Amino acid sequence: EDCTAVIAAPSGLNLSVSASEGASVTSKETAGETVWTVGVRGLPSLKHEPRGPVPERLLGWYSFSECTAVDEFAEWYRGLWPEKGVVTFPQLRAGSDVSTVRAVYAHLSRVISHDERALFSPEKPSEVIFMRNGSAEDKVFCAREMLSGYGIRSFPALVMKKGTPAGTITTDRFSGILLYVPCEERDLWLDFSRPYGEAGILSRDAENANVIVIGANGVEQKIARSAVRTGEKYEGSIEIGASGEASFVLRGFFSGRGSNIEKYAEDDHARDELTGVLAGIFHRNAVVAESSFSSGSSGEASLQIKGTVPGFALSGTKTVSFKPFFHPTELPHLLGGESRLT
């Protein structure tokens, strides 16, 4: 199918227009204005598919903006930054800069309720602290102000959407925000997009994403990566009795700071929740008989649980029939992955 878009702007306005490969982009001056025409022709019709690939990979597109470069966009965004105010923060200075950054992150994650408000609307840190409610963007500027009080530099960093084609710089190209903290021991990226995250550990959307780090006067493009690689691995065994009851042994192995090993080691309630999650991975009707947790100084831990599932299967003389059940899987995420093309 064919599609044509017409964009009219005053002649003095420096407008940047871009479009998908194969599209035609023309402009002409008429009566004190510039008229842009974007034409996309011969596009096949595509049926909408839930959890399909990123639309820009398959469809024709066009975009326009007054910002013709990252520097110009950063200058616009600086104009939205909240003014620094007089805010009373608790004393969280630790032995090293990295420890202080982790303490600040943990404090804000704990005391500030998470708000899913849209990006590019930061509130003043004083208001956020008073209301005890804020978005990821709000927490970034709260953390920036707190760290500044401890003499630690930090910079807001906008996360670019994965799979979005290169072209005009617009607000639609960004999916979130991080706080970049360059420390002597290591650089840290603070991701406040989740209510219960951890300093230096990034969400799936932010991991390995291109980001724009914005300073007071300059801009730098980087790739965001978690400070420590995390890992989880599961294994287990199952025996089905003559009555159809299943006996199982499951083991979970965890490594890296993102697996919250310290929390599981110190908090009985958190460990009980992890046991329930691990049992639920196996079967929704699993009954846990016993569990054991162990952790070492090398940053690794393991959890083992034993239990049963009543009525797991129907046993016959020479056959075993399993009862069907539904369980969440990683399949929806894989289907919606930004790298998927078909």
Side-chain angles (χ1 to χ4, degrees):
E1 296 183 0
D2 301 338
C3 176
T4 301
V6 178
I7 308 159
S11 295
L13 185 64
N14 186 19
L15 196 67
S16 171
V17 179
S18 58
S20 55
E21 184 178 358
S24 62
V25 180
T26 60
S27 65
K28 64 179 180 178
E29 298 288 335
T30 58
E33 66 179 12
T34 303
V35 178
W36 298 82
T37 303
V38 181
V40 184
R41 304 188 182 283
L43 294 177
S45 297
L46 295 175
K47 183 179 180 181
H48 172 69
E49 179 186 353
R51 297 187 180 275
V54 178
E56 289 86 347
R57 288 181 176 269
L58 302 178
L59 305 176
W61 59 269
Y62 70 92
S63 65
F64 58 92
S65 173
E66 291 184 68
C67 294
T68 58
V70 172
D71 290 345
E72 293 181 9
F73 187 87
E75 184 177 354
W76 169 82
Y77 185 52
R78 289 190 198 98
L80 302 181
W81 289 6
E83 297 179 2
K84 291 187 177 182
V86 179
V87 184
T88 302
F89 295 113
Q91 180 52 250
L92 298 173
R93 190 48 155 148
S96 67
D97 285 354
V98 169
S99 297
T100 302
V101 172
R102 295 191 187 282
V104 168
Y105 181 91
H107 172 76
L108 291 175
S109 297
R110 185 175 65 253
V111 303
I112 306 298
S113 304
H114 191 65
D115 189 329
E116 293 290 348
R117 195 173 65 253
L119 194 59
F120 304 114
S121 58
E123 297 284 351
K124 293 181 179 180
S126 56
E127 292 292 329
V128 176
I129 296 298
F130 178 77
M131 298 299 295
R132 288 180 173 264
N133 181 270
S135 65
E137 188 175 33
D138 295 333
K139 295 177 188 180
V140 160
F141 285 99
C142 281
R144 177 172 171 264
E145 187 161 334
M146 292 178 72
L147 293 174
S148 176
Y150 301 132
I152 301 175
R153 298 178 307 134
S154 61
F155 307 94
L158 294 172
V159 180
M160 304 185 78
K161 290 180 180 178
K162 296 179 180 179
T164 302
T168 305
I169 303 296
T170 66
T171 55
D172 292 340
R173 291 198 62 191
F174 301 96
S175 60
I177 187 171
L178 307 172
L179 187 66
Y180 172 60
V181 190
C183 299
E184 288 188 8
E185 299 106 301
R186 67 171 70 95
D187 294 348
L188 286 178
W189 298 92
L190 304 189
D191 184 352
F192 292 99
S193 63
R194 299 164 297 173
Y196 304 105
E198 188 165 352
I201 304 301
L202 300 178
S203 65
R204 194 194 305 265
D205 290 336
E207 187 70 57
N208 293 319
N210 292 312
V211 298
I212 297 176
V213 179
I214 305 176
N217 300 305
V219 177
E220 186 177 1
Q221 296 194 46
K222 289 181 173 288
I223 296 178
R225 292 189 175 93
S226 295
V228 179
R229 288 200 173 274
T230 62
E232 294 185 9
K233 184 176 70 172
Y234 302 95
E235 65 180 28
S237 60
I238 179 174
E239 294 184 4
I240 303 175
S243 63
E245 179 181 89
S247 300
F248 64 86
V249 178
L250 296 178
R251 302 176 188 86
F253 301 92
F254 312 94
S255 62
R257 300 191 62 86
S259 54
N260 291 317
I261 291 172
E262 291 114 338
K263 180 178 72 174
Y264 297 142
E266 299 171 2
D267 189 338
D268 292 340
H269 179 67
R271 198 158 55 247
D272 289 343
E273 285 187 344
L274 178 62
T275 300
V277 169
L278 184 56
I281 290 175
F282 173 60
H283 198 284
R284 60 184 298 178
N285 295 327
V287 178
V288 178
E290 61 179 270
S291 66
S292 60
F293 180 86
S294 62
S295 61
S297 57
S298 59
E300 298 182 348
S302 64
L303 172 68
Q304 176 175 287
I305 64 175
K306 297 181 180 180
T308 59
V309 179
F312 180 78
L314 302 175
S315 297
T317 306
K318 295 183 179 180
T319 61
V320 176
S321 301
F322 296 98
K323 294 182 178 179
F325 63 92
F326 297 97
H327 193 283
T329 72
E330 283 287 296
L331 186 57
H333 170 73
L334 296 175
L335 290 176
E338 69 278 351
S339 60
R340 179 178 162 230
L341 297 178
T342 59

